[in-house]
Amino acid sequence: MSRPFNFSAGPSALPIDVLLQVRDELLDFAGTGVSVMEISHRSQPFMDFAHATDAAVRRVLAVPSDYHVLLLQGGSYLQFSQIPMNLFHKTNTADYIHTGLWSEQAANAARQYGIVRTIASSHETGFDRVPEINESHINLDAAYLHYTENETAQGLQFSKPPISSIPLVCDACSSLMSKPIDIAAHDLVYASAQKNMGIAGVTLVLLNPAILDKPLAATPQALDFSIQAKKQSLLNTPSTFSWYVMGLMMEWIERTGGIEVLHEINKKKSRHLYNVIDGSNGFYINHVLPDYRSINNVPFHISERNLEDLFVREAQENGFHGLKGHQSTGGLRASIYNAVTLDAVQELALFMREFARTHG
Ligand SMILES: *Cc1c(COP(=O)(O)O)cnc(C)c1O
């Protein structure tokens, strides 16, 4: 069986070990004789699995013990709205840092519920850096400061969380579990599973209960963080299969050695590709300043733009899948999340060098 090297931005590659385990357990989950898709989310085998997943998330990410660990539906996209709905009760304003496509979408969604102030942006320099964040620009009446840890389309990443005197909220959709993120330095961190830790259908929300008050009027129960926490994310039927795959991913992450080990591998993977780009004499271009380059998504252009379609085609023919850039930015992009192996990245680096040699 030969599988392509998969650089898809999300949903994205899963470790082969996890896929095989899913296959092996498909007809018999935890000795029940039926698949995980066919049992109640309130049955003991599923509840046991859910508790084990919760414990693994807490261990792997060093989640403070009083924080809620929620597995919700609706993706990170719904969090763009669910967060203001839950945090705008006392003051319906929040601060946002603008670093690209996803932080902009998050801010736009929040604007429906109150006043959103952009306190820093790297728009003017074409999102080539994390903007300087002057603490004096943080509005003390804001409910929270929101930032996007890794801009998946722009390939731009924070090296550390911004310092904030107000509650700090982080969209870590494309980076959670790929590098150490200090959860205790945040009040809310969210990420859908389909990038570094599973498949679409569950979104992990790590939440400091101290920032919760009543949600806005007319907030549905399913979107009320307090109710979801009280019900252990089992208010209604969750996406049990996605939950299960995320649980297997947590086991895989721990088997691999945890987040520090994955971080080293992910840094190495990204260095390979940036080295090819920077060493290509301008054939390939990535315009993000080196200090801010993402270890999860490596976007690039070919200086002769009309070669980009050919690149995608030849890549596909050579077994490299998912290299087309985000529709908003165009160009090319290699997403190199946890499950993408160093070997796959080395093969891609060779292919890129060869493509530049023959077409440069
Ligand atoms: C993918 C992504 C989202 C959206 O996630 P969905 O699961 O599609 O809702 C939000 N923010 C970032 C940074 C992303 O990469």
Side-chain angles (χ1 to χ4, degrees):
M1 182 180 61
S2 155
R3 309 185 81 237
F5 297 117
N6 183 1
F7 297 93
S8 175
S12 56
L14 289 169
I16 189 77
D17 290 357
V18 169
L19 288 171
L20 292 174
Q21 191 176 353
V22 169
R23 184 187 68 181
D24 291 347
E25 296 177 354
L26 199 59
L27 300 186
D28 180 8
F29 168 70
T32 55
V34 292
S35 91
V36 70
M37 294 176 273
E38 305 170 283
I39 58 169
S40 167
H41 53 294
R42 304 191 197 284
S43 66
Q44 203 58 47
F46 188 83
M47 296 279 283
D48 288 347
F49 189 86
H51 288 140
T53 303
D54 176 278
V57 169
R58 289 178 184 278
R59 265 194 315 271
V60 165
L61 292 175
V63 179
S65 59
D66 58 331
Y67 277 33
H68 297 314
V69 172
L70 307 177
L71 278 82
L72 304 179
Q73 301 181 57
S76 294
Y77 203 86
L78 186 59
Q79 289 308 309
F80 297 167
S81 304
Q82 189 168 355
I83 289 165
M85 286 169 105
N86 278 270
L87 302 183
F88 271 8
H89 179 69
K90 280 203 205 100
T91 165
N92 69 339
T93 174
D95 288 352
Y96 278 69
I97 298 170
H98 183 211
T99 44
L101 174 90
W102 287 113
S103 53
E104 186 164 324
Q105 299 222 23
N108 286 343
R111 217 164 260 130
Q112 258 195 290
Y113 303 94
I115 298 156
V116 164
R117 289 176 286 203
T118 302
I119 61 150
S121 172
S122 51
H123 181 248
E124 272 185 14
T125 53
F127 302 122
D128 63 345
R129 69 193 73 188
V130 168
E132 208 162 310
I133 296 140
N134 188 332
E135 269 189 271
S136 69
H137 292 164
I138 295 175
N139 293 291
L140 296 178
D141 64 337
Y144 58 85
L145 171 64
H146 179 283
Y147 77 104
T148 303
E149 208 277 335
N150 179 64
E151 284 282 4
T152 316
Q154 276 75 19
L156 172 68
Q157 190 159 30
F158 282 69
S159 56
K160 55 178 182 335
I163 293 170
S164 176
S165 42
I166 59 176
L168 185 59
V169 174
C170 175
D171 174 355
C173 186
S174 48
S175 54
L176 194 67
M177 308 267 179
S178 77
K179 62 179 269 192
I181 291 177
D182 181 1
I183 305 302
H186 298 81
D187 294 281
L188 197 160
V189 178
Y190 62 100
S192 349
Q194 73 272 16
K195 282 152 191 175
N196 280 295
M197 54 189 189
I199 61 172
V202 280
T203 303
L204 187 59
V205 175
L206 311 170
L207 171 61
N208 178 4
I211 63 167
L212 289 178
D213 196 342
K214 276 190 299 201
L216 296 181
T219 297
Q221 285 199 2
L223 298 185
D224 182 328
F225 283 137
S226 301
I227 292 176
Q228 286 288 9
K230 200 154 62 206
K231 299 284 184 183
Q232 300 183 338
S233 313
L234 298 172
L235 170 72
N236 68 320
T237 315
S239 182
T240 48
F241 188 75
S242 307
W243 194 319
Y244 159 73
V245 176
M246 199 187 125
L248 297 189
M249 277 301 292
M250 298 312 301
E251 292 171 13
W252 178 85
I253 288 170
E254 291 201 289
R255 274 202 308 278
T256 307
I259 298 228
E260 258 89 19
V261 170
L262 284 166
H263 186 214
E264 287 310 311
I265 300 169
N266 291 332
K267 279 194 290 193
K268 209 167 180 181
K269 279 154 45 183
S270 64
R271 264 200 307 274
H272 272 299
L273 298 183
Y274 290 121
N275 282 344
V276 173
I277 292 165
D278 294 343
S280 71
N281 286 319
F283 183 83
Y284 297 114
I285 299 158
N286 169 289
H287 76 283
V288 178
L289 300 176
D291 285 353
Y292 307 102
R293 283 174 165 178
S294 168
I295 62 163
N296 294 284
N297 312 92
V298 179
F300 55 99
H301 276 285
I302 296 179
S303 57
E304 228 176 285
R305 296 288 159 102
N306 59 9
L307 285 175
E308 289 177 347
D309 285 344
L310 182 66
F311 180 95
V312 172
R313 222 168 34 245
E314 280 195 16
Q316 191 78 39
E317 282 163 17
N318 284 276
F320 302 98
H321 173 89
L323 288 164
K324 221 172 153 52
H326 189 274
Q327 54 188 8
S328 70
T329 56
L332 305 160
R333 172 175 55 170
S335 295
I336 48 175
Y337 303 127
N338 279 341
V340 177
T341 61
L342 182 58
D343 192 44
V345 171
Q346 278 163 342
E347 292 293 329
L348 177 61
L350 283 175
F351 171 80
M352 286 173 68
R353 282 211 178 87
E354 184 58 19
F355 188 89
R357 199 182 62 76
T358 48
H359 298 283

